[in-house]
Amino acid sequence: MSKHINAASRLISILEKASSRADNMQALEAWAELLGVKERHPHRRVVAIGELLCAMHKEPEYAMTGLATSDFSKSLYESAFSHIEHALSPMLFQHKWDQVKQHLTPDVLTALAFCTEILPDEEIQLSIDELSSIRAKVEELRATLTDTRMPPRLRTLIQHHIQLIEHALAVYPIIGAKALREAAHIALGEMIEAKDEITSEKDSIAVLALGSVWGSVNRATDIALRTEKLVQLGQRAWEIGVRSFNRSFLWHNHSTLKYLRDMITSNSVFQGFWNIAIISD
């Protein structure tokens, strides 16, 4: 196991398992196994695998950006990352797995292993218990959808937020905790748009469950991204929001708060939350 958690370590944790798949296996199915894709519908299965590989394809770029600031020559790692990018190509989906494995030679994986040591820690790895807690909260939120009295717009929002979190959890082993942070950013914007429905249902089981699951996501992200102090304001602001509005709204980080300030202060329901959050900063 790598001493550091970074783009290179996430890549190698997946790619080092490539040799365990048979050479004559279809590449698409091999990736499905390696990435834990359970979708069985043929078209949706291809899309799901493609989305995960697309996310994975960005990691070599992040790694090389970090390595560019080190004292190591590019010639020591550029070729390895070029092979990795070829291995991740969706163009190989219909080919045999050996067409992928030819790019993941021991030399390539050794170079990648050295990169995991050169690059610094990006975050703290979340524990199985922390991830399981988020999944349990998602199931609690999903259970609220059985309420036939739920307003249609709130139902649609909750369904999409469940999808956001499940996708973030699927991508987490590939890109790390930024997957959870990005999901929360998207969710926050949607909750701004649906603020009237959320406010009117703020004491409902559904909205309380919505707040609970995003509270878990927020806390996990704050733990993982412990060096990013602006992100850590997210849970502080969230806890203030819980006390002020019975968990009727989620705030994620200071930059988002500033970006949305004018929009929020135009609504008296959320104005107090904004004032409290800024005073506490």
Side-chain angles (χ1 to χ4, degrees):
M1 178 179 288
S2 302
K3 291 191 297 184
H4 298 160
I5 304 298
N6 49 50
S9 70
R10 288 190 293 270
L11 280 169
I12 200 168
S13 69
I14 297 170
L15 298 181
E16 66 184 0
K17 300 173 186 174
S19 62
S20 65
R21 270 58 187 180
D23 287 353
N24 63 350
M25 190 176 189
Q26 187 187 37
L28 182 71
E29 293 308 314
W31 281 123
E33 288 186 6
L34 288 175
L35 301 175
V37 175
K38 295 183 173 62
E39 175 62 58
R40 302 313 305 174
H41 186 280
H43 295 161
R44 291 195 291 270
R45 185 174 176 81
V46 173
V47 170
I49 297 168
E51 287 178 346
L52 294 178
L53 273 191
C54 181
M56 198 171 172
H57 210 281
K58 297 176 183 176
E59 292 300 281
E61 297 176 20
Y62 294 139
M64 285 192 287
T65 298
L67 290 165
T69 64
S70 70
D71 294 329
F72 292 85
S73 170
K74 288 183 178 181
S75 62
L76 297 175
Y77 56 81
E78 270 190 332
S79 176
F81 282 113
S82 177
H83 279 290
I84 290 170
E85 288 177 347
H86 280 93
L88 299 178
S89 172
M91 298 290 287
L92 298 177
F93 276 179
Q94 301 306 318
H95 291 262
K96 299 299 183 182
W97 187 238
D98 61 354
Q99 297 298 300
V100 175
K101 286 172 64 175
Q102 68 176 333
H103 296 292
L104 302 175
T105 62
D107 286 348
V108 169
L109 296 179
T110 298
L112 186 58
F114 275 113
C115 292
T116 69
E117 302 294 320
I118 297 169
L119 292 169
D121 269 330
E122 293 177 4
E123 58 188 65
I124 294 173
Q125 188 164 2
L126 295 176
S127 69
I128 293 175
D129 287 344
E130 287 163 336
L131 295 172
S132 295
S133 175
I134 294 174
R135 291 189 177 95
K137 295 287 186 183
V138 169
E139 291 309 312
E140 292 174 7
L141 181 59
R142 198 193 312 274
T144 68
L145 295 173
T146 60
D147 184 357
T148 57
R149 298 166 298 176
M150 184 183 296
R153 188 174 184 188
L154 181 58
R155 179 182 299 278
T156 300
L157 181 138
I158 288 175
Q159 288 172 332
H160 186 231
H161 284 204
I162 289 172
Q163 293 172 357
L164 279 175
I165 297 170
E166 289 181 333
H167 179 71
L169 290 171
V171 178
Y172 171 72
I174 298 172
I175 69 172
K178 56 180 173 283
L180 298 171
R181 183 175 62 185
E182 289 168 2
H185 284 172
I186 295 170
L188 178 56
E190 292 183 352
M191 285 189 280
I192 289 286
E193 294 180 351
K195 59 185 178 295
D196 292 338
E197 287 82 357
I198 292 174
T199 301
S200 65
E201 297 287 325
K202 68 185 180 193
D203 295 321
S204 68
I205 294 175
V207 171
L208 292 176
L210 183 65
S212 181
V213 70
W214 284 116
S216 293
V217 170
N218 241 0
R219 284 187 291 271
T221 306
D222 287 352
I223 290 170
L225 302 175
R226 82 271 189 226
T227 58
E228 298 187 23
K229 295 181 179 179
L230 294 182
V231 173
Q232 291 175 357
L233 181 61
Q235 186 54 29
R236 268 179 57 202
W238 167 258
E239 291 168 354
I240 293 167
V242 169
R243 291 196 297 271
S244 302
F245 296 105
N246 296 321
R247 302 188 181 188
S248 64
F249 203 73
L250 169 70
W251 293 85
H252 188 63
N253 65 35
H254 188 259
S255 61
T256 306
L257 289 172
K258 293 176 76 173
Y259 176 76
L260 296 169
R261 174 181 56 193
D262 294 339
M263 205 159 48
I264 300 306
T265 52
S266 66
N267 186 297
S268 60
V269 175
F270 297 103
Q271 188 167 3
F273 182 20
W274 169 260
N275 291 336
I276 292 171
I278 294 302
I279 291 170
S280 301
D281 182 13

